[in-house]
Amino acid sequence: MIDDATRALLAGLGGVDAAPGSLAGVVVVDVTRVVAGPYCSMILADLGATVIKVENPGDPDYTRTFPPMLPREDAEPLSGFFAQYNRNKLGVTLNLKSPGAAEVLDRLVERADVLVENFRPGTMDRLGHGYERLRRVNPKLVYAALSGYGQSGPYRLRPAYDNSAQATGGLWSMNGEAGGPPTRVGTIIGDLAASLYGVIGVLAALRHAEQTGEGQLVDISQQDSVLTLTENAVVSYTVDGVVPKPLGNQHPFVRPYELFPCADGFVFFGGYTDKFWRISCETFGSPADWNDNPDLHSMATRFDAEVYQERVKPMVVRWFADRTKAELEALAGDLVPLSAVKDIGEVVEDPQIAARGMIVDNDYPGHGSLRTFGSPVRLDRTPAQTAGLAPDMGEHTDRVLGEFLGYSTDEVAALRTGGTI
């Protein structure tokens, strides 16, 4: 970990004036791109780590060109996609393929606690920057490698995207309408899950390094990560031999627990326990709904597929048909699990989201305001900081190399002339 003076220097480079977070003093070298990796390092940055994002000057993170774009008259437009996953980072250029890159990277690694990369396994070794070499540079280094299939196994060298993980991790096969084709989850959940597990792995490895002085390899696979999101699918197969199929909006066995139409859209309703079912009958229906159906008082009976389809579901549909989302939430949102199904516009403007500070507004000079999601991690003593901006490509190269790594002005110029930075 870096000392207080160096931490202040790096914070100044980033232009962020905020209280130090829980990971203050931790330096992360980020050689990742797209999402599975940048999101991992961004979470670490939000929690106080100093993250130095390294990009190839001739081949930068290509999400810099992903929409939506914030225009600027005198400069390149800013990608909202890129900015959302790279806030709070310092930007440095370094061509890892250059003969001079090893010395620069080594000097970064010497002063770092963590390196995060998301190349296909073997790539960093071929470039001369693999874990086994870098651990000799810094024995305490936590080296996090995020990839499609991990650092071992027969698939390790296969190229992969998020959809690859959804497909091979089992999630794609389970998602979609009953009787229809499998449908991908509507977000890059494999990338995001791998990043979240990457953070967990890094934090555990940092704890070990602090106690023992020994770093380690954190090996995160997107396929592994997606597999753990399949709920009870694995045990359904290993215990009962059942291979889960798409069920649309229904749960495999819990009922009612799905999407229901209402007057102006849809709501999720999960009043499946005996307590919630009684409250629902009394709140939405008539006394007869409860009094005339004593056999439905049992959760086990309501779970029966035939009973549910013929008696329970029609009752719920009748309850909601003539009421709006707002009316239903006002009537029973505090009593039973009932939630309006909101589009992203409604979510961004949602009062609960506002109360939790989950939409943050950052001003990018020349581009205007950019609203992105905040941090879901709530720490009352060292709160996450989300005010830092994503860096322009190479924005902090000269100062990081000069003030942090000790390169002279002439040495920095020579590295730039030689194509290393």
Side-chain angles (χ1 to χ4, degrees):
M1 289 191 179
I2 59 175
D3 56 33
D4 290 343
T6 306
R7 180 169 68 242
L9 163 68
L10 292 175
L13 292 179
V16 178
D17 183 15
S22 296
L23 298 183
V26 173
V27 176
V28 179
V29 177
D30 173 9
V31 295
T32 67
R33 57 169 59 191
V34 193
V35 176
Y39 187 37
C40 170
S41 59
M42 188 207 79
I43 294 171
L44 298 172
D46 284 356
L47 296 176
T50 295
V51 175
I52 301 172
K53 182 176 179 69
V54 175
E55 296 178 82
N56 186 326
D59 183 24
D61 189 332
Y62 46 81
T63 61
R64 285 186 178 275
T65 66
F66 281 16
M69 306 299 292
L70 278 69
R72 181 176 175 180
E73 291 184 2
D74 59 344
E76 291 293 320
L78 171 69
S79 164
F81 190 106
F82 174 85
Q84 180 169 254
Y85 290 108
N86 289 282
R87 68 182 177 221
N88 282 328
K89 300 180 184 180
L90 304 175
V92 168
T93 54
L94 178 63
N95 180 2
L96 295 178
K97 298 178 182 179
S98 169
E103 180 190 351
V104 180
L105 185 64
D106 286 358
R107 287 170 76 163
L108 279 171
V109 166
E110 284 174 355
R111 306 201 67 181
D113 303 281
V114 180
L115 182 141
V116 184
E117 56 104 334
N118 65 345
F119 294 105
R120 202 185 311 183
T123 300
M124 286 288 277
D125 288 311
R126 288 193 297 274
L127 293 173
H129 313 308
Y131 171 62
E132 290 301 326
R133 191 186 75 78
L134 293 182
R135 71 187 296 191
R136 293 194 292 272
V137 175
N138 180 357
K140 290 187 66 175
L141 181 69
V142 172
Y143 184 108
L146 283 65
S147 62
Y149 301 103
Q151 304 298 306
S152 60
Y155 298 169
R156 62 182 293 269
L157 297 181
R158 292 184 179 181
Y161 287 120
D162 170 81
N163 278 358
S164 309
Q166 290 200 35
T168 61
L171 194 58
W172 204 329
S173 74
M174 299 167 54
N175 197 49
E177 289 299 321
T183 304
R184 73 177 289 272
V185 174
T187 186
I188 48 174
I189 197 166
D191 287 350
L192 302 174
S195 288
L196 295 173
Y197 282 125
V199 171
I200 294 170
V202 165
L203 294 179
L206 279 173
R207 172 68 168 162
H208 176 79
E210 289 172 357
Q211 292 177 320
T212 67
E214 178 185 49
Q216 60 185 300
L217 173 66
V218 178
D219 175 9
I220 303 294
S221 153
Q222 289 173 283
Q223 182 189 32
D224 295 349
S225 301
V226 166
L227 175 62
T228 67
L229 305 181
T230 57
E231 196 188 3
N232 69 323
V234 171
V235 291
S236 291
Y237 173 72
T238 59
V239 175
D240 294 331
V242 174
V243 176
K245 301 295 183 184
L247 292 173
N249 293 309
Q250 295 189 35
H251 189 274
F253 58 87
V254 171
R255 304 179 181 98
Y257 192 87
E258 60 170 302
L259 187 77
F260 290 93
C262 64
D264 63 345
F266 298 90
V267 294
F268 159 71
F269 173 63
Y272 68 85
T273 67
D274 291 341
K275 171 187 174 181
F276 287 142
W277 180 249
R278 175 183 56 78
I279 294 173
S280 298
C281 288
E282 295 171 350
T283 303
F284 300 120
S286 66
D289 288 327
W290 176 258
N291 296 329
D292 295 352
N293 296 281
D295 55 327
L296 296 184
H297 294 182
S298 166
M299 187 164 65
T301 301
R302 296 190 301 277
F303 280 10
D304 180 84
E306 183 176 346
V307 172
Y308 176 70
Q309 289 297 331
E310 293 183 359
R311 298 179 59 193
V312 177
K313 187 171 183 177
M315 191 182 301
V316 178
V317 169
R318 170 169 53 83
W319 290 344
F320 298 164
D322 297 327
R323 294 178 168 120
T324 66
K325 293 185 292 186
E327 289 171 341
L328 289 168
E329 284 194 320
L331 184 63
D334 294 339
L335 301 176
V336 298
L338 182 146
S339 305
V341 176
K342 302 180 179 183
D343 63 35
I344 200 65
E346 292 173 309
V347 174
V348 169
E349 306 302 336
D350 186 277
Q352 178 67 18
I353 292 293
R356 299 281 292 173
M358 278 306 299
I359 299 297
V360 297
D361 194 342
N362 290 336
D363 182 39
Y364 279 82
H367 295 285
S369 176
L370 177 66
R371 300 175 75 198
T372 66
F373 56 67
S375 174
V377 180
R378 286 293 186 274
L379 301 173
D380 68 347
R381 300 299 178 92
T382 54
Q385 303 293 333
T386 57
L389 306 183
D392 290 337
M393 191 180 72
E395 178 180 349
H396 306 100
T397 301
D398 287 19
R399 294 190 64 190
V400 168
L401 266 63
E403 298 175 39
F404 182 46
L405 299 185
Y407 282 88
S408 69
T409 302
D410 289 343
E411 288 172 325
V412 172
L415 288 170
R416 181 165 285 112
T417 299
T420 299
I421 60 174

